[in-house]
Amino acid sequence: MGTLILSDASASVRLEGEHLVVHSHAAPGAASRLPLASIERVLVVGRPAIAFPVLHAFMARAIPCCFFDGAGRWLGALDCHDGRLYGRRQAQCACSLDEDFRLGIARRLVVAKIRNARRVVRRLAGNRSPRTLAAGANARIRFLARILRMARAVADVEALRGLEGAAARHHFALLGCLFPASLPFAARSRHPPKDAANALLSWFYTLMLAEVVMAVHTYGLDPSAGNLHQNGQRAPALALDLMEPFRPACDLLACNLASHAIVRADRHFVEADSGVRLNEEGRRVTLRAFAQTMERAFVPRGAIRPTTLRLAIHAQAERYLAAILSGTPDFRPFRLP
């Protein structure tokens, strides 16, 4: 199984020996039995009723578990703390207070994100008629290249955040040309998403953030002490930092699912909490697609051996650990092939 995702549809979860028993609202009277040995990571969305012995079993087996509310906002994670990793977290906190280190890491992450975003836009545009792209799209693509050059030379983190925001606005404007008319995307909206396309993007970002948080915990790091995002907030700054180069992969997946009508606005979404969110069928469809994407093999640029997105996330977390232990921001973020 690998990843277990418990959402609002999961009415209750209890422990029986070495198995989880999951009762679902969707099938009253039926239950699923899942061996604990098959579970590598857990994502909890919404408020399923999880018995405490289940959480105890996750902690005892060091199974990472992340929690998000029904809208996909981060709540927290089980931290299977190991005191032997104190030195790693001490080095991490010291580096997150070092302005030169923070800038070096943040700059590399933003550059990788913008490069990957341009790669995604070009890939999507290459599969469409030139008439699909609105007037000014080429200018936006050129402007992304300009921001990329500026990001490589920026002198402080605050200015870098500004450049990253400008790049995101142009990137989302380009995505608006590439989503189909049946599931249109006009502008990015969050908390709550205002339309189906934004709900789809937010859902994939939630799933990707969970993957990164669990990788960060695997390497004994604190997901809250980062470089680009503000420390001291509720959101996990380091996990959000390391997620940035992977966001375009979520955009690519969302656009492809919409374009091939695998996800449909009239079937897979529901209005909720003054916004729009995926319904249960929509979550099942997208979870399947996301899992396949995370496990699909590819050869990274400049590499020989194939990898997967999940392995790439762990490799990036491991490289970040090496950077903080050395005290230098010599760090290579993920690059889309």
Side-chain angles (χ1 to χ4, degrees):
M1 168 178 284
T3 303
L4 171 63
I5 299 180
L6 302 170
S7 70
D8 291 337
S10 303
S12 63
V13 187
R14 71 177 191 274
L15 185 67
E16 287 188 358
E18 291 297 309
H19 289 77
L20 298 187
V21 179
V22 182
H23 290 271
S24 173
H25 286 306
S32 300
R33 290 179 59 86
L34 309 173
L36 277 170
S38 70
I39 300 171
E40 297 177 6
R41 62 193 71 82
V42 181
L43 170 60
V44 180
V45 182
R47 301 179 64 180
I50 304 176
F52 182 77
V54 174
L55 300 179
H56 187 280
F58 293 160
M59 294 285 286
R61 292 162 177 78
I63 299 173
C65 181
C66 294
F67 298 85
F68 294 82
D69 67 14
R73 288 185 290 263
W74 165 261
L75 293 175
L78 291 180
D79 184 0
C80 306
H81 182 68
D82 186 339
R84 292 171 296 181
L85 302 176
Y86 170 74
R88 293 185 180 185
R89 296 199 173 187
Q90 185 180 45
Q92 179 188 355
C93 290
C95 287
S96 71
L97 297 174
D98 184 318
E99 292 298 324
D100 291 336
F101 183 91
R102 290 181 60 221
L103 176 61
I105 294 291
R107 190 162 48 200
R108 286 167 170 80
L109 289 168
V110 170
V111 166
K113 177 186 179 180
I114 298 173
R115 183 191 293 117
N116 290 347
R118 293 180 70 231
R119 178 72 174 162
V120 162
V121 168
R122 286 176 170 173
R123 183 181 301 180
L124 289 170
N127 294 328
R128 288 159 175 77
S129 165
R131 293 191 299 273
T132 301
L133 294 179
N138 288 330
R140 289 188 183 278
I141 293 174
R142 288 194 297 272
F143 192 71
L144 282 177
R146 179 184 173 192
I147 296 176
L148 188 61
R149 292 192 296 272
M150 294 170 66
R152 290 191 179 105
V154 72
D156 64 81
V157 173
E158 193 60 38
L160 183 63
R161 293 191 186 112
L163 290 174
E164 188 275 333
R169 287 191 293 274
H170 284 276
H171 173 64
F172 285 128
L174 288 164
L175 281 185
C177 305
L178 298 167
F179 268 80
S182 59
L183 205 156
F185 176 78
R188 183 75 178 114
S189 62
R190 305 180 299 166
H191 309 315
K194 299 300 183 184
D195 53 44
N198 274 288
L200 186 59
L201 287 171
S202 291
W203 176 237
F204 284 142
Y205 294 157
T206 294
L207 297 177
M208 188 64 76
L209 179 59
E211 292 281 348
V212 176
V213 168
M214 290 184 281
V216 166
H217 277 301
T218 297
Y219 288 94
L221 298 171
D222 182 350
S224 65
N227 305 277
L228 175 64
H229 291 82
Q230 291 279 6
N231 292 331
Q233 306 296 316
R234 178 63 184 269
L238 175 62
L240 289 169
D241 286 356
L242 297 181
M243 176 183 165
E244 292 296 345
F246 294 92
R247 283 183 184 269
C250 296
D251 303 337
L252 179 63
L253 177 58
C255 198
N256 280 335
L257 292 182
S259 298
H260 291 90
I262 297 171
V263 174
R264 294 168 42 182
D266 61 348
R267 179 174 177 176
H268 295 121
F269 297 87
V270 62
E271 293 185 3
D273 303 323
S274 302
V276 176
R277 61 196 292 187
L278 284 154
N279 60 23
E280 292 305 324
E281 182 183 359
R283 285 190 176 181
R284 286 195 298 271
V285 170
T286 53
L287 285 171
R288 188 181 308 116
F290 184 82
Q292 291 170 349
T293 298
M294 294 301 295
E295 294 296 338
R296 186 175 297 121
F298 65 93
V299 179
R301 296 181 65 180
I304 299 175
R305 296 179 180 177
T307 187
T308 65
L309 276 179
R310 180 168 289 127
L311 291 175
I313 289 172
H314 279 258
Q316 183 174 262
E318 186 175 21
R319 290 194 295 270
Y320 181 74
L321 172 61
I324 65 170
L325 292 179
S326 68
T328 60
D330 186 11
F331 171 72
R332 180 170 52 85
F334 169 71
R335 295 181 64 178
L336 273 171

